[in-house]
Amino acid sequence: MIEIIRMNESHVSAVAELEKQNFSEPWSENSVRGELTNSLALWLVALDGDTVVGYVGSQTVLGEADMMNIAVADSHRRRGIARMLVRELIDRLDARMLTLEVRASNAPAIALYESEGFAQIGLRKNYYRKPKEDALILRKEWNT
């Protein structure tokens, strides 16, 4: 059974490892650790027993949240964990909207976000560098 909890120090190295496995420009372990003391941040982890199998991170300013990163371990994909993380993040945020960037070619992620009520509000040309690619800007709004 998957449990979603707030990230703590014991999760940092596993989250940083998932960063390396999933992103061409991953956050360092120190950058991930820094989010623990960032008053604007909310990072959640998905646990399968004691193992971190996914995470999502955000920062909120004046009621508007930005999703920083989300990833699920290869071994646990296609089980609804990313959806669980997105929903739990929205439930826990002290915000009225959540914005994110996603690679224009990442059809599975775009489909997930659209199914959760996100809509495209813009495009960032050449946002990603490795490889170079545009990012779609998606947003979901709600009443708090």
Side-chain angles (χ1 to χ4, degrees), residues 3-130:
E3 178 184 18
I4 299 184
I5 65 169
R6 191 173 191 125
M7 181 179 74
N8 64 48
E9 178 63 38
S10 71
H11 306 128
V12 169
S13 61
V15 168
E17 184 57 35
L18 282 173
E19 276 280 309
K20 287 183 210 169
Q21 293 170 12
N22 286 281
F23 299 107
S24 61
E25 297 186 86
W27 285 35
S28 70
E29 190 167 323
N30 282 338
S31 293
V32 172
R33 181 174 287 108
E35 294 300 282
L36 293 173
T37 57
N38 180 347
S39 63
L40 305 175
L42 173 60
W43 284 58
L44 306 174
V45 295
L47 299 175
D48 187 356
D50 292 331
T51 304
V52 175
V53 297
Y55 68 92
V56 63
S58 70
Q59 292 185 3
T60 302
V61 176
L62 300 174
E64 298 183 10
D66 284 309
M67 184 186 298
M68 309 307 289
N69 287 345
I70 183 169
V72 175
D74 286 342
S75 61
H76 284 70
R77 290 198 178 145
R78 310 291 304 158
R79 298 186 193 182
I81 295 171
R83 184 178 307 278
M84 291 169 55
L85 284 163
V86 170
R87 287 180 177 176
E88 189 68 23
L89 178 66
I90 289 169
D91 285 347
R92 293 186 188 209
L93 283 171
D94 183 19
R96 63 183 182 279
M97 68 179 64
L98 178 60
T99 304
L100 60 91
E101 289 91 9
V102 60
R103 283 186 180 273
S105 65
N106 193 343
I110 294 166
L112 165 67
Y113 299 136
E114 287 178 344
S115 74
E116 290 297 319
F118 287 81
Q120 184 176 344
I121 61 162
L123 177 75
R124 294 194 200 283
K125 294 297 250 175
N126 300 315
Y127 180 77
Y128 296 101
R129 296 186 298 177
K130 295 181 183 177

